[in-house]
Amino acid sequence: MSRFHALIPAAGSGSRMGGIQPKQYLDLGGRPVIAHSFAALSRDTRIDRLVVVLSPGDAWWDGYDWSAWQERLHILRCGGVTRAETVLNGLEAMAGWCAADDWVLVHDAARPCLPAAALGRLLDEVASDAVGGLLAAPLADTLKRADADTRVEATVPRAGLWQAQTPQMFRHGQLRAALRTAGADMTDEASAIEQLGLRPKLVESDSRNLKVTYPQDLRLASLILEHLHD
Ligand code: C5P
């Protein structure tokens, strides 16, 4: 039986957020953003371990109490310069105890509002898939491509377009091989798998699973969390 592991890249500096504290440590309802991501992932008992990948120079982690996840949390301090590098370094470090066909669910530290139902759907729909898949939301807005003067160059038809989220769920061996050849600038795991000529499955999610990127996202995340379990 393949096991399920969560891999949480948390080595970003969060430069778009401003400030010096990386966004995964910003306060959200009395605990750091990343603690909500752990809580969301550990709510599904099928997930075996939470593997968090920190930057080697992370000076924030030790300032918090992580005892609520002590049993399941595995901490690696091998984050890279890009997200893809962080994920690949994490996968390499897991290789000693993780089977090649175990599932790895890569989830952004900065996505604290992952709904339990969406996570459950991902596990249900992808566990028997040959390739793997990801949570994503069908696009609701009309898309515009801008030119250099910030004027509309074109309207992009939104039919068939989805916004990729996380978790993104692939087999350990295949994802490691894909990221080794893909290059360090891939912004998600699915892109690396696609480069192998494979077609990951899209599993429907919604806009509550936002990534905290800009200061106003924290307020929104706080409102979403208040009603997430209603
Ligand atoms: O910067 P971005 O919003 O794309 O970051 C998404 C996730 O990837 C965050 O959890 C961030 O901490 C992580 N990341 C990382 N290593 C990097 C850059 C980003 O683990 N070098």
Side-chain angles (χ1 to χ4, degrees):
M1 272 287 279
S2 304
R3 293 175 299 168
F4 301 92
H5 313 283
L7 173 60
I8 302 116
S13 60
S15 52
R16 284 170 292 183
M17 200 75 190
I20 50 157
Q21 192 174 29
K23 60 186 177 180
Q24 57 270 26
Y25 294 116
L26 292 174
D27 183 84
L28 179 57
R31 41 184 196 163
V33 165
I34 192 173
H36 295 275
S37 307
F38 292 158
L41 290 162
S42 55
R43 227 167 261 131
D44 198 305
T45 53
R46 286 173 284 184
I47 295 181
D48 202 56
R49 267 189 206 211
L50 308 179
V51 181
V52 58
V53 189
L54 307 175
S55 146
D58 187 310
W60 301 89
W61 176 265
D62 291 333
Y64 296 93
D65 175 13
W66 305 105
S67 55
W69 297 283
Q70 203 171 18
E71 299 290 298
R72 295 166 90 182
L73 204 56
H74 188 88
I75 302 149
L76 299 171
R77 293 183 181 268
C78 57
V81 175
T82 64
R83 184 183 181 286
E85 234 180 79
T86 299
V87 172
L88 179 56
N89 291 350
L91 293 171
E92 301 285 8
M94 290 166 74
W97 50 267
C98 178
D101 62 355
D102 278 357
W103 289 106
V104 179
L105 286 88
V106 181
H107 184 59
D108 292 328
R111 273 187 211 270
C113 309
L114 168 64
L119 175 59
R121 226 170 15 251
L122 179 72
L123 288 162
D124 290 345
E125 291 189 25
V126 176
S128 56
D129 195 87
V131 176
L134 62 149
L135 286 185
L139 274 187
D141 294 320
T142 299
L143 288 185
K144 304 290 183 191
R145 178 171 294 118
D147 65 12
D149 302 321
T150 334
R151 289 189 167 272
V152 175
E153 190 176 84
T155 297
V156 182
R158 70 174 175 227
L161 291 184
W162 294 60
Q163 198 171 4
Q165 301 180 347
T166 70
Q168 301 206 355
M169 174 172 162
F170 297 100
R171 300 221 183 245
H172 178 274
Q174 188 160 57
L175 184 55
R176 182 164 66 146
L179 284 170
R180 276 180 178 174
T181 53
D185 55 352
M186 295 278 116
T187 51
D188 75 347
E189 291 62 53
S191 315
I193 296 286
E194 290 156 45
Q195 284 202 350
L196 299 179
L198 299 169
R199 296 165 60 219
K201 187 174 175 62
L202 293 164
V203 176
E204 188 159 348
S205 177
D206 61 62
S207 57
R208 290 173 299 173
N209 187 21
L210 86 170
K211 184 171 68 172
V212 173
T213 305
Y214 300 104
Q216 63 271 24
D217 297 336
L218 260 187
R219 176 82 189 118
L220 194 53
S222 160
L223 291 169
I224 293 169
L225 281 174
E226 270 176 41
H227 300 285
L228 197 58
H229 309 297
D230 287 355

